[in-house]
Amino acid sequence: MPTRKLEKVVSLKEIKVACQACSLNEICLPVGMGETDLDRLDSIIDRKRPLARNDHLFRIGDPFQCLYAVRSGSLKTYATSEDGQEQVMGFHLPGELVGLDAIADGRHPLAAKALETTSLCEIPFADLEALSRQLPSLQHQLLRVMSQEIRADEQNMVTLGQKSAEERLASFLISLSSRFRRRGFSENQFNLSMSRSDIGNYLGLALETVSRLFTRFQNEGLLRVDRKHIELLDRARLCMFSSAKCSSSEEPRILRPNASS
Amino acid sequence: MPTRKLEKVVSLKEIKVACQACSLNEICLPVGMGETDLDRLDSIIDRKRPLARNDHLFRIGDPFQCLYAVRSGSLKTYATSEDGQEQVMGFHLPGELVGLDAIADGRHPLAAKALETTSLCEIPFADLEALSRQLPSLQHQLLRVMSQEIRADEQNMVTLGQKSAEERLASFLISLSSRFRRRGFSENQFNLSMSRSDIGNYLGLALETVSRLFTRFQNEGLLRVDRKHIELLDRARLCMFSSAKCSSSEEPRILRPNASS
DNA sequence: CGATGACTTGACTGCTGTCAACGTGCGTGG
DNA sequence: CCACGCACGTTGACAGCAGTCAAGTCATCG
């Protein structure tokens, strides 16, 4: 129930919108928290100016101070091997936490880079840890989010370990589609913020293979693709191709009254 | 269930060894905890009779009640796709926690099966959560362990995503070797508790490929292999093959005075 | 001692990576 | 407004790594 009473201070006000009013609070860290608890969480969170495309949020080896929640836009995280080539480890959409892998030893093992203009919530980890001691629902949600991350990584292992190129790309698109739906966006039509090269790298494929598969999927009537824009025409059949169980309505979507157009 | 009436209290006593006396407490959940805190952690932990080879600790979909720490022996965790084939997600050695991916929704997404006779510590999660609210060092260590798990999964993504068969097996052996060393065992000589098929499945390779690579590595003088027994003859060169930075002494090993031979 | 499962080895095939050329859209600057 | 350059994406030709199929060997256990 978003209590929108913004007169006009729009952009500045939007940047400062609290967890309480954030449209993402049903899928972000605040899940399951009461109103007063939410205010306390909100009080430790900082909201900075958005990142521009290609800006780094942090680099490999940076000391770990904060977790970040994506508010809008998207990020990729990646590692670089000694010979300089990168391995894309994940793409992060609004409502997702970034930096959880840095808790282990206080340094970021991956770099995070904005794929487009991206705004974030900055959550000082020490404060979060202290606060979660007092708020069981926050503690629980933090553990749940980390557990989900582990699970997602396990899914990726299946994808990389025993799926064909075709299945990998299909899985990737279905997964993206589901994540968009969950956030209240269209599940059948969206824009890829990452390049073919990033997708290929993430899926363990050559970028040429990704390109060829997009063409093939299009020829087979599964989807329409135009540059970054993707339109899924036959989600069900794409699911078959991904050889994974893809429910089309596994979770209720978030209603976003202000996303009229 | 066979209730073997062993007279000697020995084995029973051994099963009940507390965290305080456990040789694994420097790499397990107790890391960084004081003596009195350790006693409180110990009080919520249950130690059951060991699992026999091929016994399941839990199966896919089982309700999540407890985390488990391996005390001795080893486990594999795996998922099964709808067509029944399995994907091995990980191997778990003494001191490692199993079940972290079940916190997210209260059900185990993977099954866990003993690769050999394996004893475990059972940690009721509700109790752990409550206790960690009171013991900051426990809370912190739990988060660290989960973060490490995420990091390990990221490593696996690199392995599966952009390494050749040769590099994957080399990485796997180096990783195992390091984990054994950390636990006070020999880093150059150990027994594989898992089959070639499990290794191949885990690494995204056919078991025949694994077999061929063992033969090749042996012919090249990198190691000696006899059934399950592995002896690393040239760890440094194996590291080169794995195309990863593998320090040979990254972390101090645990001294285990009773492992004299 | 035979049965069974685990492992090894060989022959062949095919998926997907690599190399290379070409097309397309966008931003910059004249 | 157009020309240009550049990054990104597409398409084709070819080759090689690793999967599949199949046969054979070895170890363990009843």
Side-chain angles (χ1 to χ4, degrees):
Chain A
M1 49 228 82
T3 54
R4 295 189 302 155
K5 46 181 76 167
L6 11 130
E7 330 283 287
K8 49 186 175 168
V9 210
V10 194
S11 75
L12 219 95
K13 199 79 180 184
E14 274 180 353
I15 287 188
K16 295 295 180 190
V17 69
C19 289
Q20 283 245 22
C22 179
S23 66
L24 295 166
N25 65 18
E26 290 180 40
I27 57 176
C28 193
L29 204 48
V31 170
M33 295 179 61
E35 202 168 298
T36 52
D37 288 359
L38 211 50
D39 282 339
R40 297 187 63 184
L41 171 59
D42 196 66
S43 71
I44 68 170
I45 293 180
D46 197 9
R47 293 170 184 88
K48 297 258 170 75
R49 209 149 40 77
L51 258 49
R53 179 175 146 88
N54 288 331
D55 281 354
H56 273 89
L57 178 56
F58 47 76
R59 290 166 194 275
I60 296 173
D62 280 0
F64 168 63
Q65 303 291 348
C66 302
L67 293 175
Y68 299 91
V70 180
R71 283 171 44 73
S72 67
S74 53
L75 299 168
K76 73 170 174 183
T77 48
Y78 64 95
T80 52
S81 50
E82 51 273 35
D83 57 354
Q85 72 174 334
E86 69 180 46
Q87 161 77 30
V88 176
M89 306 296 305
F91 303 109
H92 300 269
L93 303 186
E96 294 174 345
L97 251 47
V98 187
L100 293 171
D101 52 4
I103 296 172
D105 70 353
R107 301 228 161 241
H108 285 285
L110 305 179
K113 191 195 241 186
L115 293 168
E116 58 195 312
T117 305
T118 299
S119 59
L120 300 147
C121 294
E122 190 177 285
I123 312 168
F125 182 67
D127 295 346
L128 182 64
E129 219 175 356
L131 189 58
S132 75
R133 229 169 283 139
Q134 298 165 36
L135 308 179
S137 59
L138 177 60
Q139 180 199 35
H140 190 69
Q141 179 60 10
L142 179 57
L143 292 172
R144 279 193 52 207
V145 168
M146 294 191 75
S147 180
Q148 272 164 3
E149 177 94 15
I150 293 170
R151 223 181 252 224
D153 288 346
E154 285 168 354
Q155 270 311 310
N156 288 337
M157 278 193 69
V158 176
T159 299
L160 292 173
Q162 56 185 19
K163 288 189 180 181
S164 67
E166 179 179 274
E167 291 169 329
R168 291 185 206 185
L169 187 61
S171 300
F172 175 70
L173 292 173
I174 292 293
S175 162
L176 262 191
S177 163
S178 301
R179 285 157 80 190
F180 281 126
R181 179 168 48 72
R182 184 127 200 277
R183 283 155 183 78
F185 299 111
S186 168
E187 65 180 322
N188 292 320
Q189 205 166 333
F190 46 85
N191 285 297
L192 301 173
S193 56
M194 68 293 288
S195 69
R196 300 288 190 270
S197 165
D198 283 338
I199 296 173
N201 188 309
Y202 175 67
L203 295 175
L205 301 171
L207 68 92
E208 293 94 331
T209 303
V210 175
S211 184
R212 272 186 259 269
L213 286 172
F214 270 128
T215 306
R216 174 134 62 96
F217 284 167
Q218 181 163 253
N219 291 340
E220 289 174 358
L222 288 168
L223 50 76
R224 218 152 0 136
V225 52
D226 176 43
R227 305 289 286 165
K228 300 283 193 191
H229 189 77
I230 301 288
E231 186 179 352
L232 302 187
L233 298 175
D234 194 342
R235 202 177 190 277
R237 202 144 58 90
L238 196 62
C239 276
M240 304 297 299
F241 275 77
S242 79
S243 71
K245 50 198 174 311
C246 328
S247 66
S248 168
S249 53
E250 58 201 35
E251 295 183 68
R253 37 190 299 177
I254 295 178
L255 299 176
R256 38 176 52 213
N258 44 352
S260 51
S261 65
Chain B
M1 21 213 263
T3 50
R4 296 182 299 156
K5 37 188 171 280
L6 353 140
E7 319 298 291
K8 328 250 179 164
V9 208
V10 183
S11 73
L12 219 92
K13 196 83 180 185
E14 275 179 351
I15 286 188
K16 295 295 180 192
V17 68
C19 289
Q20 282 244 24
C22 179
S23 65
L24 295 166
N25 65 17
E26 290 180 39
I27 58 175
C28 192
L29 205 47
V31 170
M33 293 178 61
E35 201 168 300
T36 53
D37 289 358
L38 211 51
D39 282 339
R40 297 187 62 184
L41 171 60
D42 196 67
S43 71
I44 68 169
I45 292 180
D46 196 9
R47 293 169 184 89
K48 298 257 170 77
R49 209 150 39 77
L51 258 49
R53 179 176 147 88
N54 288 331
D55 281 352
H56 273 89
L57 178 56
F58 47 76
R59 289 167 193 274
I60 296 173
D62 280 0
F64 167 63
Q65 304 291 347
C66 302
L67 292 175
Y68 299 90
V70 180
R71 281 171 46 72
S72 68
S74 52
L75 298 169
K76 73 170 175 183
T77 49
Y78 64 95
T80 51
S81 50
E82 50 274 33
D83 57 355
Q85 72 174 334
E86 72 179 48
Q87 162 75 31
V88 175
M89 306 296 306
F91 303 108
H92 301 269
L93 302 185
E96 295 175 344
L97 251 47
V98 187
L100 293 171
D101 53 5
I103 296 172
D105 70 353
R107 300 227 161 244
H108 286 286
L110 306 179
K113 191 195 240 184
L115 292 167
E116 58 195 313
T117 304
T118 298
S119 59
L120 300 148
C121 294
E122 188 177 287
I123 313 167
F125 182 66
D127 295 345
L128 182 64
E129 219 176 355
L131 188 59
S132 76
R133 229 169 282 140
Q134 298 164 38
L135 308 180
S137 59
L138 177 59
Q139 180 198 34
H140 191 69
Q141 179 60 10
L142 179 56
L143 291 173
R144 279 193 53 208
V145 168
M146 294 192 74
S147 180
Q148 272 163 3
E149 177 93 15
I150 293 170
R151 224 181 251 224
D153 288 345
E154 284 167 355
Q155 271 311 309
N156 287 337
M157 278 193 68
V158 175
T159 300
L160 293 173
Q162 58 185 19
K163 287 190 180 178
S164 67
E166 178 180 273
E167 291 169 330
R168 291 184 205 186
L169 187 61
S171 300
F172 175 70
L173 291 173
I174 292 294
S175 162
L176 262 191
S177 163
S178 301
R179 286 156 79 190
F180 281 126
R181 180 168 47 72
R182 185 125 199 276
R183 281 155 185 77
F185 299 110
S186 167
E187 63 180 326
N188 292 320
Q189 206 167 333
F190 47 86
N191 284 298
L192 300 172
S193 56
M194 69 294 287
S195 68
R196 301 287 191 270
S197 165
D198 283 338
I199 296 173
N201 189 309
Y202 175 67
L203 295 175
L205 301 172
L207 70 92
E208 293 94 331
T209 303
V210 174
S211 183
R212 271 185 260 268
L213 285 172
F214 270 128
T215 307
R216 175 136 60 97
F217 284 167
Q218 181 163 253
N219 291 341
E220 290 174 358
L222 287 168
L223 50 77
R224 215 147 9 130
V225 51
D226 176 42
R227 304 288 287 165
K228 301 283 193 189
H229 188 77
I230 302 289
E231 186 179 353
L232 301 187
L233 298 174
D234 194 342
R235 203 177 189 276
R237 203 145 55 92
L238 196 61
C239 275
M240 305 297 298
F241 275 78
S242 80
S243 71
K245 49 199 174 311
C246 327
S247 66
S248 168
S249 55
E250 58 200 36
E251 295 181 68
R253 35 189 301 176
I254 294 178
L255 298 177
R256 38 175 53 212
N258 43 351
S260 51
S261 65

